[in-house]
Structures are given as structure tokens and as C-alpha cells.
Amino acid sequence: MEQVKAVNVQELKRMQDDQFDFQLIDLREADELEICHINGTHIPLGEIDVRAQEIARDKPVVLHCKTGRRSYMAALFLQQQHGFDNLYSLDGGIIAYAKEIDPNMTAY
């Protein structure tokens, strides 16, 4: 079975702080984005297939959602259907980020 690579929130924060060259994609819906966000390109999960060309192939790409379930499924889909090999799912999603990295962030 094909596996999805993952990063935890500490690794993501280090990538952000070090200004590492990567793409961050937020798979949540627009109303979720209004509650809290950590920047990144907004591509809702339902649009991932038709917007796959917006996803970088030449650098690491971190996909995130609320809990990590949608980002895992999106990474698996993109690997299988579009041949990506540079995708990472954010373990625990933005909930983990809010809890462990930015406690002032509004969680939902």
C-alpha cells in the first residue's frame, strides 16, 4: 500500500522560521479559513483534482486541513492520480498547530 509522508507541527514551524523553500496548501473550506489560518495557498479539497497544476512539483509541498484526515486523503489521491512524490500531510492539522505552536490562534 502506498504511504503518505508526513510532517508534524514542530517541523512545519521550523520550515516557516527558516524560510525553507516549500509550498503550503490549505485544503479547508472558505468558512474554516475565516476562523484561523497559517497562510498558504487555499485549494479546498473538492477542487484538488482540477487545480492540481497549481501544486509545485519542484519543492516539498505540505498539505494541511483541520485534523490531518483531508490532507492525508488529498496526498494519497494526488500521488495515485497525478504522480506527485513531493507531498507531506500535516499531522494533526491546524488543530495541532494551534495547540502546540500558536495557543493564541482560534481553534474550532
Side-chain angles (χ1 to χ4, degrees):
M1 189 173 118
E2 193 169 1
Q3 292 297 314
V4 171
K5 296 176 282 192
V7 295
N8 63 39
V9 292
Q10 288 82 10
E11 291 168 312
L12 174 60
K13 179 68 168 134
R14 196 163 31 254
M15 291 167 73
Q16 292 170 320
D17 290 347
D18 294 347
Q19 296 181 358
F20 188 74
D21 185 21
F22 75 104
Q23 184 180 25
L24 180 64
I25 296 183
D26 191 331
L27 298 166
R28 299 172 306 140
E29 297 300 319
D31 60 326
E32 294 176 279
L33 208 61
E34 291 175 18
I35 299 169
C36 62
H37 63 86
I38 52 176
N39 298 320
T41 303
H42 181 228
I43 303 178
L45 181 60
E47 298 175 15
I48 202 77
D49 192 27
V50 297
R51 295 180 62 190
Q53 75 281 357
E54 296 176 43
I55 301 169
R57 290 183 179 268
D58 59 346
K59 58 186 169 186
V61 176
V62 177
L63 304 172
H64 86 85
C65 59
K66 181 178 179 180
T67 64
R69 179 177 284 140
R70 283 177 278 184
S71 58
Y72 179 92
M73 297 306 294
L76 193 59
F77 172 81
L78 289 165
Q79 287 172 185
Q80 292 172 344
Q81 301 300 316
H82 293 275
F84 282 89
D85 63 1
N86 59 325
L87 304 176
Y88 297 83
S89 173
L90 181 62
D91 278 343
I94 202 163
I95 295 298
Y97 194 94
K99 184 177 179 183
E100 298 178 36
I101 304 298
D102 186 358
N104 295 320
M105 181 183 287
T106 303
Y108 65 103

